[in-house]
Amino acid sequence: MGMFRFFFYIAMIVTINLIPLKVFAYSYGNPNEEAVAEAYKQMKEKLNEQPPNFAAAKDIFGTVKEEIDMHMGTEPSTAVLRALEEKDRQAVTSNMETILVLNIARRLENIEKNFDQYDTSKRLLAKAFATYEALSPIIQGKDQALDKQLRAEFDNALQSLGNPGLFGVGEKKSDINVFKKSKETILTALQKQFGLKSLKVGHFSESATEKPDEVQKKEWTDLSKVKNWIPLIVIAAIIIGAALIYVRSRKRA
């Protein structure tokens, strides 16, 4: 039995080392996955052309309008489209910035509601931070110290999520009180910086929130990808090998 245990532990170690490092990555993920924030940056580029390219900006906005309507109702999109039709560059930019702040608020609220769902919370925080990255240049221009503070608060929020680890490896307890404190600091600052009366708009209902079931498959658990079978095959091979060695050793005994 000792030999079997030995090979089992080896299998576990090999598995942990074979699973992509991103499983343990304690980071925000890919900021480019935040579609509305990316659309905002692209729209600003078009509006900064001489003359401003409102038609192109409208096309870009069209790629995220459905998502905005789903989570916030039609009011924000109506305001942006009206400003585009009126060729009011400042109003377009201001309305988009409001949408981004509201998106951050929505995601931080959803994290608090689903705080025990680590994968969901981490993904939403990644999207919230990606959205903040799009707004960061504006805040830096007004108050560099505040930008630095808000980035630190996002880091604190990330740490507060803890980490369930894998088979107990890398486990870290979460702390919702730390998260709430960081969330309050972030939202209060953003509301003040962008002059918003409220951080709620449209149908901010439960049906519009991102539920745990909507979490995208973790790449390392998506068995539709051949590469993700490698760890399982290695485990199976080692365990079978260990079993054969154990059986043979028993026969010899």
Side-chain angles (χ1 to χ4, degrees):
M1 185 61 69
M3 183 66 71
F4 183 82
R5 272 186 199 165
F6 172 73
F7 278 97
F8 178 76
Y9 290 141
I10 289 179
M12 295 299 297
I13 292 171
V14 171
T15 303
I16 290 171
N17 282 279
L18 281 174
I19 291 174
L21 291 177
K22 71 168 74 179
V23 175
F24 298 102
Y26 210 51
S27 64
Y28 291 115
N30 184 1
N32 294 325
E33 293 177 356
E34 179 31 66
V36 179
E38 288 302 306
Y40 162 75
K41 289 186 286 186
Q42 292 169 20
M43 288 172 69
K44 281 193 70 174
E45 289 179 3
K46 295 301 180 182
L47 294 177
N48 285 334
E49 292 179 0
Q50 293 299 329
N53 193 337
F54 287 97
K58 184 177 181 180
D59 289 340
I60 294 168
F61 181 74
T63 65
V64 294
K65 180 181 179 299
E66 183 177 355
E67 178 182 344
I68 293 171
D69 289 350
M70 178 175 66
H71 294 299
M72 300 183 184
T74 59
E75 184 180 356
S77 292
T78 299
V80 172
L81 291 173
R82 180 168 55 246
L84 285 166
E85 290 297 327
E86 294 174 356
K87 300 187 184 303
D88 187 338
R89 181 171 61 180
Q90 184 175 351
V92 173
T93 302
S94 177
N95 285 324
M96 285 300 296
E97 289 166 358
T98 297
I99 288 172
L100 294 190
V101 173
L102 293 172
N103 249 349
I104 293 174
R106 176 172 65 86
R107 287 184 168 124
L108 294 183
E109 289 288 347
N110 287 340
I111 291 171
E112 186 174 335
K113 292 175 183 177
N114 302 303
F115 194 74
D116 60 337
Q117 301 293 328
Y118 174 73
D119 294 318
T120 299
S121 296
K122 187 176 179 183
R123 182 173 64 89
L124 294 181
L125 186 58
K127 288 180 174 292
F129 182 72
T131 304
Y132 177 75
E133 288 268 73
L135 296 172
S136 177
I138 299 170
I139 295 175
Q140 283 182 351
K142 297 178 181 179
D143 190 338
Q144 290 187 355
L146 178 60
D147 177 67
K148 186 176 180 180
Q149 178 190 358
L150 293 181
R151 287 175 178 274
E153 291 298 342
F154 273 104
D155 283 335
N156 290 339
L158 178 62
Q159 296 297 326
S160 76
L161 300 181
N163 193 327
L166 185 67
F167 303 118
V169 177
E171 183 176 0
K172 181 180 177 182
K173 291 185 178 180
S174 61
D175 191 332
I176 193 169
N177 291 323
V178 171
F179 174 79
K180 286 180 178 179
K181 183 177 179 181
S182 292
K183 169 194 158 192
E184 181 66 23
T185 300
I186 293 168
L187 296 186
T188 298
L190 290 177
Q191 184 172 2
K192 181 179 179 180
Q193 286 294 310
F194 291 92
L196 305 186
K197 293 182 179 180
S198 172
L199 293 180
K200 295 184 182 295
V201 67
H203 63 283
F204 215 96
S205 64
E206 291 295 327
S207 62
T209 61
E210 296 175 80
K211 299 290 177 26
D213 291 342
E214 295 175 76
V215 180
Q216 298 170 347
K217 287 183 179 180
K218 286 186 281 187
E219 183 178 347
W220 65 279
T221 57
D222 185 358
L223 297 181
S224 65
K225 298 182 178 180
V226 175
K227 67 178 182 179
N228 293 333
W229 282 92
I230 294 176
L232 299 178
I233 294 171
V234 171
I235 293 173
I238 292 176
I239 291 177
I240 291 171
L244 289 174
I245 292 172
Y246 175 70
V247 170
R248 287 176 182 174
S249 65
R250 293 279 294 178
K251 286 182 178 179
R252 289 174 184 172

